[in-house]
């Protein structure tokens, strides 16, 4: 009997898009957030940043650090400890994007932040909600060489390793095979 896929919760959609705003695939490299103007555009499109609000250089630095931290935490979702410095980086970013509980609501709200920072804090709220709900572990960064894509693992056992078995899984298998046969 085929099991139904475990669906990604709606609140994780924006977190997922944010971590994949950087695509490391050398054949198709792209980064949607390379300057403050692009961060503004991204937040406008994906986080409903109000018109007239613009990201500063400092916001850009914070956003890129946050993206690095969340990508690192998604990498650690394969069950290995996070790379050195990732948790500390995450802590520093989270400290600059404070959230507070709202009575009667499951959503964490930004505290005293500019519109841009509030949008970034919303991404942190999605992450925190996912951790609390036990869903964060399913957002994983592919460990494939030259990949780094973050995928949602909808498998029943939550044990998928590669973004696509056909591409990254096979590459790893071929490499392991050639290592075994050349030593
Ligand atoms: Zn991959």
């Amino acid at each position: 009997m085929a099991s139904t896929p475990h669906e990604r919760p709606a609140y994780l959609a924006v977190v997922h898009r944010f971590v994949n705003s950087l695509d490391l695939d050398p054949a198709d490299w792209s980064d949607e957030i390379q300057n403050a103007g692009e961060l503004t555009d991204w937040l406008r499109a994906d986080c409903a940043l109000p018109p007239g609000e613009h990201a500063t250089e400092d916001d850009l630095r914070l956003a890129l650090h946050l993206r690095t931290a969340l990508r690192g935490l998604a990498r650690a979702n394969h069950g290995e400890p996070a790379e050195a410095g990732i948790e500390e980086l995450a802590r520093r970013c989270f400290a600059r994007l404070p959230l507070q509980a709202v009575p009667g609501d499951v959503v964490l709200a930004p505290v005293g932040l500019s519109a841009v920072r509030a949008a970034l804090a919303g991404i942190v709220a999605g992450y925190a909600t996912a951790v609390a709900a036990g869903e964060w572990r399913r957002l994983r960064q592919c460990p494939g060489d030259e990949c780094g894509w973050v995928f949602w693992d909808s498998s029943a056992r939550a044990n998928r390793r590669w973004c696509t078995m056909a591409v990254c899984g096979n590459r790893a298998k071929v490499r392991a095979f050639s290592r075994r046969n050349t030593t």
Side-chain angles (χ1 to χ4, degrees):
M1 198 182 76
S3 55
T4 46
H6 187 99
E7 282 193 27
R8 186 189 67 190
Y11 61 80
L12 262 178
V14 69
V15 183
H16 197 179
R17 280 198 300 278
F18 181 65
V19 292
N20 276 342
S21 59
L22 173 65
D23 185 354
L24 297 174
D25 183 345
D28 192 25
W29 187 95
S30 70
D31 185 350
E32 296 168 35
I33 304 175
Q34 298 188 61
N35 53 55
E38 287 181 356
L39 174 60
T40 300
D41 292 345
W42 197 93
L43 294 174
R44 194 97 68 214
D46 286 79
C47 302
L49 181 68
E53 301 288 347
H54 296 276
T56 64
E57 290 299 317
D58 199 37
D59 293 331
L60 175 68
R61 271 190 297 276
L62 176 56
L64 296 181
H65 282 148
L66 177 63
R67 187 174 68 178
T68 300
L70 291 175
R71 285 173 65 88
L73 292 172
R75 179 65 170 257
N77 279 343
H78 291 288
E80 299 122 32
E83 275 169 54
I86 286 294
E87 286 186 359
E88 178 53 32
L89 182 64
R91 247 189 289 275
R92 283 210 311 272
C93 293
F94 297 168
R96 297 179 69 190
L97 298 166
L99 294 159
Q100 69 182 16
V102 179
D105 199 341
V106 292
V107 175
L108 294 166
V111 186
L113 296 171
S114 69
V116 168
R117 296 291 171 102
L120 293 173
I123 293 170
V124 175
Y127 161 78
T129 304
V131 171
E135 300 282 10
W136 172 251
R137 66 197 179 101
R138 288 179 175 271
L139 206 60
R140 308 219 169 108
Q141 190 186 36
C142 178
D145 284 353
E146 305 185 333
C147 186
W149 192 249
V150 178
F151 62 90
W152 172 253
D153 181 358
S154 62
S155 68
R157 293 178 165 196
N159 61 356
R160 208 174 114 197
R161 184 153 180 82
W162 311 102
C163 63
T164 55
M165 192 61 208
V167 180
C168 289
N170 270 338
R171 251 192 233 146
K173 267 201 297 197
V174 167
R175 234 184 356 261
F177 179 82
S178 60
R179 254 200 312 271
R180 275 199 306 275
N181 289 278
T182 50
T183 48

